[in-house]
Amino acid sequence: RYTGQWLNGKPHGYGEYEWNQVPTSDSTKETQLQVENVYKGMFKCGKRHGKGVFYFADGSVFEGEWVDNCKHGEGTLRHADGNIDSVVFDMNSKKSVAPVVSKVIYEKNRAAKRIADSWVNSTEAPAPVVKDPRLAEDPSKG
């Protein structure tokens, strides 16, 4: 299903394309669930072309450049497991991958932010400051 701009009967300009895909497996002949993919971004003559965001059914997200329906140039790939990579594609072929954030770092930062937010938003009075007697002023400097 496509919603967006058209030119000569084809998606052209900004649009959103959503489709269901039924994975097939010849070796197992198992019934598999339908999956949904979504693309939001620029189209040219009916193809993904320009900046866009592709939401994969597995929860991964690619945000970057497209040429002739292919990922091409720089982009960011957020994996479903929380890892984030900076990637460079050449017509759908990965040329380089550089991890930006790992899930472990992301989760640690999220936990630290939750602690900081709870402290900042706390209605409790802060604990009184108690001077360490070992740090008392030198009586000879009077």
mmCIF file with all atom_site columns, all heavy atoms in Angstrom, residues 1-25:
data_model
loop_
_atom_site.group_PDB
_atom_site.id
_atom_site.type_symbol
_atom_site.label_atom_id
_atom_site.label_alt_id
_atom_site.label_comp_id
_atom_site.label_asym_id
_atom_site.label_entity_id
_atom_site.label_seq_id
_atom_site.pdbx_PDB_ins_code
_atom_site.Cartn_x
_atom_site.Cartn_y
_atom_site.Cartn_z
_atom_site.occupancy
_atom_site.B_iso_or_equiv
_atom_site.pdbx_formal_charge
_atom_site.auth_seq_id
_atom_site.auth_comp_id
_atom_site.auth_asym_id
_atom_site.auth_atom_id
_atom_site.pdbx_PDB_model_num
ATOM 1   N N   . ARG A 1 1  ? 0.855  -1.168  0.000   1.00 0.00 ? 1  ARG A N   1
ATOM 2   C CA  . ARG A 1 1  ? 0.000  0.000   0.000   1.00 0.00 ? 1  ARG A CA  1
ATOM 3   C C   . ARG A 1 1  ? 0.898  1.227   0.000   1.00 0.00 ? 1  ARG A C   1
ATOM 4   O O   . ARG A 1 1  ? 1.787  1.361   0.832   1.00 0.00 ? 1  ARG A O   1
ATOM 5   C CB  . ARG A 1 1  ? -0.898 -0.058  1.236   1.00 0.00 ? 1  ARG A CB  1
ATOM 6   C CG  . ARG A 1 1  ? -1.735 1.137   1.464   1.00 0.00 ? 1  ARG A CG  1
ATOM 7   C CD  . ARG A 1 1  ? -2.716 0.916   2.613   1.00 0.00 ? 1  ARG A CD  1
ATOM 8   N NE  . ARG A 1 1  ? -2.133 0.165   3.703   1.00 0.00 ? 1  ARG A NE  1
ATOM 9   C CZ  . ARG A 1 1  ? -1.970 0.637   4.923   1.00 0.00 ? 1  ARG A CZ  1
ATOM 10  N NH1 . ARG A 1 1  ? -2.352 1.834   5.233   1.00 0.00 ? 1  ARG A NH1 1
ATOM 11  N NH2 . ARG A 1 1  ? -1.440 -0.098  5.869   1.00 0.00 ? 1  ARG A NH2 1
ATOM 12  N N   . TYR A 1 2  ? 0.651  2.145   -0.905  1.00 0.00 ? 2  TYR A N   1
ATOM 13  C CA  . TYR A 1 2  ? 1.452  3.360   -1.033  1.00 0.00 ? 2  TYR A CA  1
ATOM 14  C C   . TYR A 1 2  ? 0.584  4.581   -0.798  1.00 0.00 ? 2  TYR A C   1
ATOM 15  O O   . TYR A 1 2  ? -0.534 4.668   -1.320  1.00 0.00 ? 2  TYR A O   1
ATOM 16  C CB  . TYR A 1 2  ? 2.082  3.444   -2.430  1.00 0.00 ? 2  TYR A CB  1
ATOM 17  C CG  . TYR A 1 2  ? 2.823  4.735   -2.662  1.00 0.00 ? 2  TYR A CG  1
ATOM 18  C CD1 . TYR A 1 2  ? 4.091  4.936   -2.143  1.00 0.00 ? 2  TYR A CD1 1
ATOM 19  C CD2 . TYR A 1 2  ? 2.243  5.776   -3.383  1.00 0.00 ? 2  TYR A CD2 1
ATOM 20  C CE1 . TYR A 1 2  ? 4.777  6.127   -2.337  1.00 0.00 ? 2  TYR A CE1 1
ATOM 21  C CE2 . TYR A 1 2  ? 2.916  6.970   -3.589  1.00 0.00 ? 2  TYR A CE2 1
ATOM 22  C CZ  . TYR A 1 2  ? 4.176  7.144   -3.062  1.00 0.00 ? 2  TYR A CZ  1
ATOM 23  O OH  . TYR A 1 2  ? 4.852  8.316   -3.257  1.00 0.00 ? 2  TYR A OH  1
ATOM 24  N N   . THR A 1 3  ? 1.112  5.511   -0.002  1.00 0.00 ? 3  THR A N   1
ATOM 25  C CA  . THR A 1 3  ? 0.477  6.822   0.137   1.00 0.00 ? 3  THR A CA  1
ATOM 26  C C   . THR A 1 3  ? 1.567  7.857   -0.061  1.00 0.00 ? 3  THR A C   1
ATOM 27  O O   . THR A 1 3  ? 2.653  7.732   0.507   1.00 0.00 ? 3  THR A O   1
ATOM 28  C CB  . THR A 1 3  ? -0.180 7.016   1.521   1.00 0.00 ? 3  THR A CB  1
ATOM 29  O OG1 . THR A 1 3  ? 0.801  6.790   2.537   1.00 0.00 ? 3  THR A OG1 1
ATOM 30  C CG2 . THR A 1 3  ? -1.343 6.088   1.726   1.00 0.00 ? 3  THR A CG2 1
ATOM 31  N N   . GLY A 1 4  ? 1.291  8.831   -0.907  1.00 0.00 ? 4  GLY A N   1
ATOM 32  C CA  . GLY A 1 4  ? 2.279  9.863   -1.142  1.00 0.00 ? 4  GLY A CA  1
ATOM 33  C C   . GLY A 1 4  ? 2.111  10.509  -2.493  1.00 0.00 ? 4  GLY A C   1
ATOM 34  O O   . GLY A 1 4  ? 1.048  10.429  -3.123  1.00 0.00 ? 4  GLY A O   1
ATOM 35  N N   . GLN A 1 5  ? 3.184  11.127  -2.958  1.00 0.00 ? 5  GLN A N   1
ATOM 36  C CA  . GLN A 1 5  ? 3.158  11.861  -4.219  1.00 0.00 ? 5  GLN A CA  1
ATOM 37  C C   . GLN A 1 5  ? 3.316  10.912  -5.398  1.00 0.00 ? 5  GLN A C   1
ATOM 38  O O   . GLN A 1 5  ? 3.958  9.860   -5.286  1.00 0.00 ? 5  GLN A O   1
ATOM 39  C CB  . GLN A 1 5  ? 4.280  12.909  -4.218  1.00 0.00 ? 5  GLN A CB  1
ATOM 40  C CG  . GLN A 1 5  ? 4.108  13.934  -3.104  1.00 0.00 ? 5  GLN A CG  1
ATOM 41  C CD  . GLN A 1 5  ? 5.311  14.862  -2.993  1.00 0.00 ? 5  GLN A CD  1
ATOM 42  O OE1 . GLN A 1 5  ? 6.447  14.418  -3.007  1.00 0.00 ? 5  GLN A OE1 1
ATOM 43  N NE2 . GLN A 1 5  ? 5.041  16.151  -2.866  1.00 0.00 ? 5  GLN A NE2 1
ATOM 44  N N   . TRP A 1 6  ? 2.726  11.310  -6.524  1.00 0.00 ? 6  TRP A N   1
ATOM 45  C CA  . TRP A 1 6  ? 2.748  10.506  -7.747  1.00 0.00 ? 6  TRP A CA  1
ATOM 46  C C   . TRP A 1 6  ? 3.203  11.370  -8.917  1.00 0.00 ? 6  TRP A C   1
ATOM 47  O O   . TRP A 1 6  ? 3.021  12.574  -8.923  1.00 0.00 ? 6  TRP A O   1
ATOM 48  C CB  . TRP A 1 6  ? 1.346  9.981   -8.076  1.00 0.00 ? 6  TRP A CB  1
ATOM 49  C CG  . TRP A 1 6  ? 0.800  9.019   -7.080  1.00 0.00 ? 6  TRP A CG  1
ATOM 50  C CD1 . TRP A 1 6  ? 0.148  9.334   -5.917  1.00 0.00 ? 6  TRP A CD1 1
ATOM 51  C CD2 . TRP A 1 6  ? 0.840  7.598   -7.141  1.00 0.00 ? 6  TRP A CD2 1
ATOM 52  N NE1 . TRP A 1 6  ? -0.214 8.182   -5.255  1.00 0.00 ? 6  TRP A NE1 1
ATOM 53  C CE2 . TRP A 1 6  ? 0.193  7.102   -5.986  1.00 0.00 ? 6  TRP A CE2 1
ATOM 54  C CE3 . TRP A 1 6  ? 1.352  6.691   -8.062  1.00 0.00 ? 6  TRP A CE3 1
ATOM 55  C CZ2 . TRP A 1 6  ? 0.045  5.751   -5.735  1.00 0.00 ? 6  TRP A CZ2 1
ATOM 56  C CZ3 . TRP A 1 6  ? 1.193  5.346   -7.811  1.00 0.00 ? 6  TRP A CZ3 1
ATOM 57  C CH2 . TRP A 1 6  ? 0.557  4.884   -6.661  1.00 0.00 ? 6  TRP A CH2 1
ATOM 58  N N   . LEU A 1 7  ? 3.766  10.709  -9.936  1.00 0.00 ? 7  LEU A N   1
ATOM 59  C CA  . LEU A 1 7  ? 4.069  11.360  -11.205 1.00 0.00 ? 7  LEU A CA  1
ATOM 60  C C   . LEU A 1 7  ? 3.943  10.299  -12.289 1.00 0.00 ? 7  LEU A C   1
ATOM 61  O O   . LEU A 1 7  ? 4.581  9.240   -12.202 1.00 0.00 ? 7  LEU A O   1
ATOM 62  C CB  . LEU A 1 7  ? 5.495  11.944  -11.196 1.00 0.00 ? 7  LEU A CB  1
ATOM 63  C CG  . LEU A 1 7  ? 5.919  12.651  -12.482 1.00 0.00 ? 7  LEU A CG  1
ATOM 64  C CD1 . LEU A 1 7  ? 5.089  13.929  -12.690 1.00 0.00 ? 7  LEU A CD1 1
ATOM 65  C CD2 . LEU A 1 7  ? 7.397  13.003  -12.440 1.00 0.00 ? 7  LEU A CD2 1
ATOM 66  N N   . ASN A 1 8  ? 3.113  10.568  -13.274 1.00 0.00 ? 8  ASN A N   1
ATOM 67  C CA  . ASN A 1 8  ? 2.880  9.623   -14.372 1.00 0.00 ? 8  ASN A CA  1
ATOM 68  C C   . ASN A 1 8  ? 2.504  8.226   -13.884 1.00 0.00 ? 8  ASN A C   1
ATOM 69  O O   . ASN A 1 8  ? 2.998  7.220   -14.385 1.00 0.00 ? 8  ASN A O   1
ATOM 70  C CB  . ASN A 1 8  ? 4.100  9.549   -15.296 1.00 0.00 ? 8  ASN A CB  1
ATOM 71  C CG  . ASN A 1 8  ? 4.419  10.873  -15.940 1.00 0.00 ? 8  ASN A CG  1
ATOM 72  O OD1 . ASN A 1 8  ? 3.512  11.664  -16.229 1.00 0.00 ? 8  ASN A OD1 1
ATOM 73  N ND2 . ASN A 1 8  ? 5.692  11.149  -16.150 1.00 0.00 ? 8  ASN A ND2 1
ATOM 74  N N   . GLY A 1 9  ? 1.672  8.173   -12.849 1.00 0.00 ? 9  GLY A N   1
ATOM 75  C CA  . GLY A 1 9  ? 1.175  6.895   -12.351 1.00 0.00 ? 9  GLY A CA  1
ATOM 76  C C   . GLY A 1 9  ? 2.148  6.113   -11.492 1.00 0.00 ? 9  GLY A C   1
ATOM 77  O O   . GLY A 1 9  ? 1.899  4.947   -11.175 1.00 0.00 ? 9  GLY A O   1
ATOM 78  N N   . LYS A 1 10 ? 3.270  6.720   -11.103 1.00 0.00 ? 10 LYS A N   1
ATOM 79  C CA  . LYS A 1 10 ? 4.263  6.033   -10.269 1.00 0.00 ? 10 LYS A CA  1
ATOM 80  C C   . LYS A 1 10 ? 4.586  6.889   -9.047  1.00 0.00 ? 10 LYS A C   1
ATOM 81  O O   . LYS A 1 10 ? 4.551  8.114   -9.116  1.00 0.00 ? 10 LYS A O   1
ATOM 82  C CB  . LYS A 1 10 ? 5.557  5.798   -11.059 1.00 0.00 ? 10 LYS A CB  1
ATOM 83  C CG  . LYS A 1 10 ? 5.395  4.844   -12.203 1.00 0.00 ? 10 LYS A CG  1
ATOM 84  C CD  . LYS A 1 10 ? 6.720  4.635   -12.900 1.00 0.00 ? 10 LYS A CD  1
ATOM 85  C CE  . LYS A 1 10 ? 6.549  3.620   -14.026 1.00 0.00 ? 10 LYS A CE  1
ATOM 86  N NZ  . LYS A 1 10 ? 7.801  3.392   -14.717 1.00 0.00 ? 10 LYS A NZ  1
ATOM 87  N N   . PRO A 1 11 ? 4.943  6.235   -7.929  1.00 0.00 ? 11 PRO A N   1
ATOM 88  C CA  . PRO A 1 11 ? 5.386  7.006   -6.761  1.00 0.00 ? 11 PRO A CA  1
ATOM 89  C C   . PRO A 1 11 ? 6.577  7.887   -7.145  1.00 0.00 ? 11 PRO A C   1
ATOM 90  O O   . PRO A 1 11 ? 7.537  7.415   -7.771  1.00 0.00 ? 11 PRO A O   1
ATOM 91  C CB  . PRO A 1 11 ? 5.798  5.932   -5.755  1.00 0.00 ? 11 PRO A CB  1
ATOM 92  C CG  . PRO A 1 11 ? 4.988  4.733   -6.133  1.00 0.00 ? 11 PRO A CG  1
ATOM 93  C CD  . PRO A 1 11 ? 4.905  4.796   -7.632  1.00 0.00 ? 11 PRO A CD  1
ATOM 94  N N   . HIS A 1 12 ? 6.487  9.162   -6.788  1.00 0.00 ? 12 HIS A N   1
ATOM 95  C CA  . HIS A 1 12 ? 7.555  10.102  -7.144  1.00 0.00 ? 12 HIS A CA  1
ATOM 96  C C   . HIS A 1 12 ? 7.495  11.265  -6.157  1.00 0.00 ? 12 HIS A C   1
ATOM 97  O O   . HIS A 1 12 ? 6.468  11.908  -6.028  1.00 0.00 ? 12 HIS A O   1
ATOM 98  C CB  . HIS A 1 12 ? 7.353  10.612  -8.577  1.00 0.00 ? 12 HIS A CB  1
ATOM 99  C CG  . HIS A 1 12 ? 8.526  11.354  -9.111  1.00 0.00 ? 12 HIS A CG  1
ATOM 100 N ND1 . HIS A 1 12 ? 9.579  10.707  -9.726  1.00 0.00 ? 12 HIS A ND1 1
ATOM 101 C CD2 . HIS A 1 12 ? 8.828  12.669  -9.121  1.00 0.00 ? 12 HIS A CD2 1
ATOM 102 C CE1 . HIS A 1 12 ? 10.473 11.610  -10.106 1.00 0.00 ? 12 HIS A CE1 1
ATOM 103 N NE2 . HIS A 1 12 ? 10.039 12.801  -9.740  1.00 0.00 ? 12 HIS A NE2 1
ATOM 104 N N   . GLY A 1 13 ? 8.594  11.519  -5.439  1.00 0.00 ? 13 GLY A N   1
ATOM 105 C CA  . GLY A 1 13 ? 8.597  12.498  -4.356  1.00 0.00 ? 13 GLY A CA  1
ATOM 106 C C   . GLY A 1 13 ? 8.491  11.745  -3.037  1.00 0.00 ? 13 GLY A C   1
ATOM 107 O O   . GLY A 1 13 ? 8.819  10.564  -2.954  1.00 0.00 ? 13 GLY A O   1
ATOM 108 N N   . TYR A 1 14 ? 7.990  12.423  -2.003  1.00 0.00 ? 14 TYR A N   1
ATOM 109 C CA  . TYR A 1 14 ? 7.897  11.767  -0.698  1.00 0.00 ? 14 TYR A CA  1
ATOM 110 C C   . TYR A 1 14 ? 6.695  10.833  -0.656  1.00 0.00 ? 14 TYR A C   1
ATOM 111 O O   . TYR A 1 14 ? 5.605  11.161  -1.128  1.00 0.00 ? 14 TYR A O   1
ATOM 112 C CB  . TYR A 1 14 ? 7.774  12.792  0.441   1.00 0.00 ? 14 TYR A CB  1
ATOM 113 C CG  . TYR A 1 14 ? 7.696  12.101  1.787   1.00 0.00 ? 14 TYR A CG  1
ATOM 114 C CD1 . TYR A 1 14 ? 8.848  11.667  2.425   1.00 0.00 ? 14 TYR A CD1 1
ATOM 115 C CD2 . TYR A 1 14 ? 6.471  11.814  2.366   1.00 0.00 ? 14 TYR A CD2 1
ATOM 116 C CE1 . TYR A 1 14 ? 8.784  10.990  3.628   1.00 0.00 ? 14 TYR A CE1 1
ATOM 117 C CE2 . TYR A 1 14 ? 6.391  11.137  3.578   1.00 0.00 ? 14 TYR A CE2 1
ATOM 118 C CZ  . TYR A 1 14 ? 7.558  10.723  4.202   1.00 0.00 ? 14 TYR A CZ  1
ATOM 119 O OH  . TYR A 1 14 ? 7.485  10.040  5.380   1.00 0.00 ? 14 TYR A OH  1
ATOM 120 N N   . GLY A 1 15 ? 6.908  9.662   -0.043  1.00 0.00 ? 15 GLY A N   1
ATOM 121 C CA  . GLY A 1 15 ? 5.807  8.726   0.135   1.00 0.00 ? 15 GLY A CA  1
ATOM 122 C C   . GLY A 1 15 ? 6.127  7.681   1.174   1.00 0.00 ? 15 GLY A C   1
ATOM 123 O O   . GLY A 1 15 ? 7.255  7.585   1.665   1.00 0.00 ? 15 GLY A O   1
ATOM 124 N N   . GLU A 1 16 ? 5.110  6.902   1.506   1.00 0.00 ? 16 GLU A N   1
ATOM 125 C CA  . GLU A 1 16 ? 5.256  5.811   2.468   1.00 0.00 ? 16 GLU A CA  1
ATOM 126 C C   . GLU A 1 16 ? 4.689  4.553   1.825   1.00 0.00 ? 16 GLU A C   1
ATOM 127 O O   . GLU A 1 16 ? 3.557  4.554   1.360   1.00 0.00 ? 16 GLU A O   1
ATOM 128 C CB  . GLU A 1 16 ? 4.516  6.142   3.761   1.00 0.00 ? 16 GLU A CB  1
ATOM 129 C CG  . GLU A 1 16 ? 5.091  7.365   4.446   1.00 0.00 ? 16 GLU A CG  1
ATOM 130 C CD  . GLU A 1 16 ? 4.410  7.723   5.748   1.00 0.00 ? 16 GLU A CD  1
ATOM 131 O OE1 . GLU A 1 16 ? 3.572  6.924   6.240   1.00 0.00 ? 16 GLU A OE1 1
ATOM 132 O OE2 . GLU A 1 16 ? 4.714  8.795   6.286   1.00 0.00 ? 16 GLU A OE2 1
ATOM 133 N N   . TYR A 1 17 ? 5.512  3.514   1.810   1.00 0.00 ? 17 TYR A N   1
ATOM 134 C CA  . TYR A 1 17 ? 5.118  2.261   1.182   1.00 0.00 ? 17 TYR A CA  1
ATOM 135 C C   . TYR A 1 17 ? 5.173  1.157   2.227   1.00 0.00 ? 17 TYR A C   1
ATOM 136 O O   . TYR A 1 17 ? 6.174  0.989   2.913   1.00 0.00 ? 17 TYR A O   1
ATOM 137 C CB  . TYR A 1 17 ? 6.051  1.942   0.024   1.00 0.00 ? 17 TYR A CB  1
ATOM 138 C CG  . TYR A 1 17 ? 5.599  0.773   -0.818  1.00 0.00 ? 17 TYR A CG  1
ATOM 139 C CD1 . TYR A 1 17 ? 4.452  0.857   -1.585  1.00 0.00 ? 17 TYR A CD1 1
ATOM 140 C CD2 . TYR A 1 17 ? 6.313  -0.410  -0.829  1.00 0.00 ? 17 TYR A CD2 1
ATOM 141 C CE1 . TYR A 1 17 ? 4.036  -0.215  -2.358  1.00 0.00 ? 17 TYR A CE1 1
ATOM 142 C CE2 . TYR A 1 17 ? 5.908  -1.490  -1.593  1.00 0.00 ? 17 TYR A CE2 1
ATOM 143 C CZ  . TYR A 1 17 ? 4.766  -1.381  -2.357  1.00 0.00 ? 17 TYR A CZ  1
ATOM 144 O OH  . TYR A 1 17 ? 4.347  -2.446  -3.117  1.00 0.00 ? 17 TYR A OH  1
ATOM 145 N N   . GLU A 1 18 ? 4.082  0.446   2.357   1.00 0.00 ? 18 GLU A N   1
ATOM 146 C CA  . GLU A 1 18 ? 3.959  -0.608  3.362   1.00 0.00 ? 18 GLU A CA  1
ATOM 147 C C   . GLU A 1 18 ? 3.511  -1.871  2.639   1.00 0.00 ? 18 GLU A C   1
ATOM 148 O O   . GLU A 1 18 ? 2.592  -1.832  1.830   1.00 0.00 ? 18 GLU A O   1
ATOM 149 C CB  . GLU A 1 18 ? 2.870  -0.148  4.330   1.00 0.00 ? 18 GLU A CB  1
ATOM 150 C CG  . GLU A 1 18 ? 2.701  -0.921  5.572   1.00 0.00 ? 18 GLU A CG  1
ATOM 151 C CD  . GLU A 1 18 ? 1.628  -0.271  6.452   1.00 0.00 ? 18 GLU A CD  1
ATOM 152 O OE1 . GLU A 1 18 ? 1.651  0.955   6.653   1.00 0.00 ? 18 GLU A OE1 1
ATOM 153 O OE2 . GLU A 1 18 ? 0.770  -1.028  6.908   1.00 0.00 ? 18 GLU A OE2 1
ATOM 154 N N   . TRP A 1 19 ? 4.194  -2.961  2.890   1.00 0.00 ? 19 TRP A N   1
ATOM 155 C CA  . TRP A 1 19 ? 3.788  -4.196  2.228   1.00 0.00 ? 19 TRP A CA  1
ATOM 156 C C   . TRP A 1 19 ? 4.041  -5.388  3.119   1.00 0.00 ? 19 TRP A C   1
ATOM 157 O O   . TRP A 1 19 ? 4.876  -5.365  3.999   1.00 0.00 ? 19 TRP A O   1
ATOM 158 C CB  . TRP A 1 19 ? 4.467  -4.384  0.876   1.00 0.00 ? 19 TRP A CB  1
ATOM 159 C CG  . TRP A 1 19 ? 5.942  -4.570  0.931   1.00 0.00 ? 19 TRP A CG  1
ATOM 160 C CD1 . TRP A 1 19 ? 6.629  -5.738  0.866   1.00 0.00 ? 19 TRP A CD1 1
ATOM 161 C CD2 . TRP A 1 19 ? 6.943  -3.550  1.041   1.00 0.00 ? 19 TRP A CD2 1
ATOM 162 N NE1 . TRP A 1 19 ? 7.975  -5.514  0.939   1.00 0.00 ? 19 TRP A NE1 1
ATOM 163 C CE2 . TRP A 1 19 ? 8.194  -4.169  1.041   1.00 0.00 ? 19 TRP A CE2 1
ATOM 164 C CE3 . TRP A 1 19 ? 6.889  -2.163  1.150   1.00 0.00 ? 19 TRP A CE3 1
ATOM 165 C CZ2 . TRP A 1 19 ? 9.381  -3.463  1.132   1.00 0.00 ? 19 TRP A CZ2 1
ATOM 166 C CZ3 . TRP A 1 19 ? 8.066  -1.463  1.243   1.00 0.00 ? 19 TRP A CZ3 1
ATOM 167 C CH2 . TRP A 1 19 ? 9.291  -2.112  1.234   1.00 0.00 ? 19 TRP A CH2 1
ATOM 168 N N   . ASN A 1 20 ? 3.248  -6.406  2.847   1.00 0.00 ? 20 ASN A N   1
ATOM 169 C CA  . ASN A 1 20 ? 3.373  -7.670  3.564   1.00 0.00 ? 20 ASN A CA  1
ATOM 170 C C   . ASN A 1 20 ? 4.134  -8.640  2.678   1.00 0.00 ? 20 ASN A C   1
ATOM 171 O O   . ASN A 1 20 ? 3.986  -8.633  1.466   1.00 0.00 ? 20 ASN A O   1
ATOM 172 C CB  . ASN A 1 20 ? 2.004  -8.256  3.900   1.00 0.00 ? 20 ASN A CB  1
ATOM 173 C CG  . ASN A 1 20 ? 1.286  -7.416  4.923   1.00 0.00 ? 20 ASN A CG  1
ATOM 174 O OD1 . ASN A 1 20 ? 1.899  -6.877  5.826   1.00 0.00 ? 20 ASN A OD1 1
ATOM 175 N ND2 . ASN A 1 20 ? -0.014 -7.279  4.781   1.00 0.00 ? 20 ASN A ND2 1
ATOM 176 N N   . GLN A 1 21 ? 4.916  -9.447  3.304   1.00 0.00 ? 21 GLN A N   1
ATOM 177 C CA  . GLN A 1 21 ? 5.746  -10.405 2.588   1.00 0.00 ? 21 GLN A CA  1
ATOM 178 C C   . GLN A 1 21 ? 5.573  -11.755 3.279   1.00 0.00 ? 21 GLN A C   1
ATOM 179 O O   . GLN A 1 21 ? 5.620  -11.840 4.494   1.00 0.00 ? 21 GLN A O   1
ATOM 180 C CB  . GLN A 1 21 ? 7.194  -9.914  2.712   1.00 0.00 ? 21 GLN A CB  1
ATOM 181 C CG  . GLN A 1 21 ? 8.193  -10.644 1.929   1.00 0.00 ? 21 GLN A CG  1
ATOM 182 C CD  . GLN A 1 21 ? 9.563  -9.965  2.105   1.00 0.00 ? 21 GLN A CD  1
ATOM 183 O OE1 . GLN A 1 21 ? 9.723  -9.025  2.856   1.00 0.00 ? 21 GLN A OE1 1
ATOM 184 N NE2 . GLN A 1 21 ? 10.525 -10.471 1.415   1.00 0.00 ? 21 GLN A NE2 1
ATOM 185 N N   . VAL A 1 22 ? 5.345  -12.766 2.503   1.00 0.00 ? 22 VAL A N   1
ATOM 186 C CA  . VAL A 1 22 ? 5.216  -14.105 3.071   1.00 0.00 ? 22 VAL A CA  1
ATOM 187 C C   . VAL A 1 22 ? 6.506  -14.852 2.780   1.00 0.00 ? 22 VAL A C   1
ATOM 188 O O   . VAL A 1 22 ? 6.797  -15.188 1.637   1.00 0.00 ? 22 VAL A O   1
ATOM 189 C CB  . VAL A 1 22 ? 4.014  -14.869 2.478   1.00 0.00 ? 22 VAL A CB  1
ATOM 190 C CG1 . VAL A 1 22 ? 3.914  -16.250 3.086   1.00 0.00 ? 22 VAL A CG1 1
ATOM 191 C CG2 . VAL A 1 22 ? 2.735  -14.089 2.700   1.00 0.00 ? 22 VAL A CG2 1
ATOM 192 N N   . PRO A 1 23 ? 7.343  -15.073 3.805   1.00 0.00 ? 23 PRO A N   1
ATOM 193 C CA  . PRO A 1 23 ? 8.587  -15.807 3.578   1.00 0.00 ? 23 PRO A CA  1
ATOM 194 C C   . PRO A 1 23 ? 8.286  -17.235 3.125   1.00 0.00 ? 23 PRO A C   1
ATOM 195 O O   . PRO A 1 23 ? 7.325  -17.846 3.572   1.00 0.00 ? 23 PRO A O   1
ATOM 196 C CB  . PRO A 1 23 ? 9.276  -15.813 4.935   1.00 0.00 ? 23 PRO A CB  1
ATOM 197 C CG  . PRO A 1 23 ? 8.553  -14.835 5.771   1.00 0.00 ? 23 PRO A CG  1
ATOM 198 C CD  . PRO A 1 23 ? 7.186  -14.680 5.191   1.00 0.00 ? 23 PRO A CD  1
ATOM 199 N N   . THR A 1 24 ? 9.106  -17.729 2.228   1.00 0.00 ? 24 THR A N   1
ATOM 200 C CA  . THR A 1 24 ? 8.922  -19.103 1.769   1.00 0.00 ? 24 THR A CA  1
ATOM 201 C C   . THR A 1 24 ? 10.166 -19.902 2.099   1.00 0.00 ? 24 THR A C   1
ATOM 202 O O   . THR A 1 24 ? 11.266 -19.384 2.158   1.00 0.00 ? 24 THR A O   1
ATOM 203 C CB  . THR A 1 24 ? 8.692  -19.157 0.248   1.00 0.00 ? 24 THR A CB  1
ATOM 204 O OG1 . THR A 1 24 ? 9.819  -18.570 -0.393  1.00 0.00 ? 24 THR A OG1 1
ATOM 205 C CG2 . THR A 1 24 ? 7.429  -18.421 -0.138  1.00 0.00 ? 24 THR A CG2 1
ATOM 206 N N   . SER A 1 25 ? 9.960  -21.176 2.336   1.00 0.00 ? 25 SER A N   1
ATOM 207 C CA  . SER A 1 25 ? 11.068 -22.069 2.629   1.00 0.00 ? 25 SER A CA  1
ATOM 208 C C   . SER A 1 25 ? 10.801 -23.372 1.883   1.00 0.00 ? 25 SER A C   1
ATOM 209 O O   . SER A 1 25 ? 9.936  -24.143 2.258   1.00 0.00 ? 25 SER A O   1
ATOM 210 C CB  . SER A 1 25 ? 11.176 -22.299 4.129   1.00 0.00 ? 25 SER A CB  1
ATOM 211 O OG  . SER A 1 25 ? 12.148 -23.271 4.397   1.00 0.00 ? 25 SER A OG  1
#
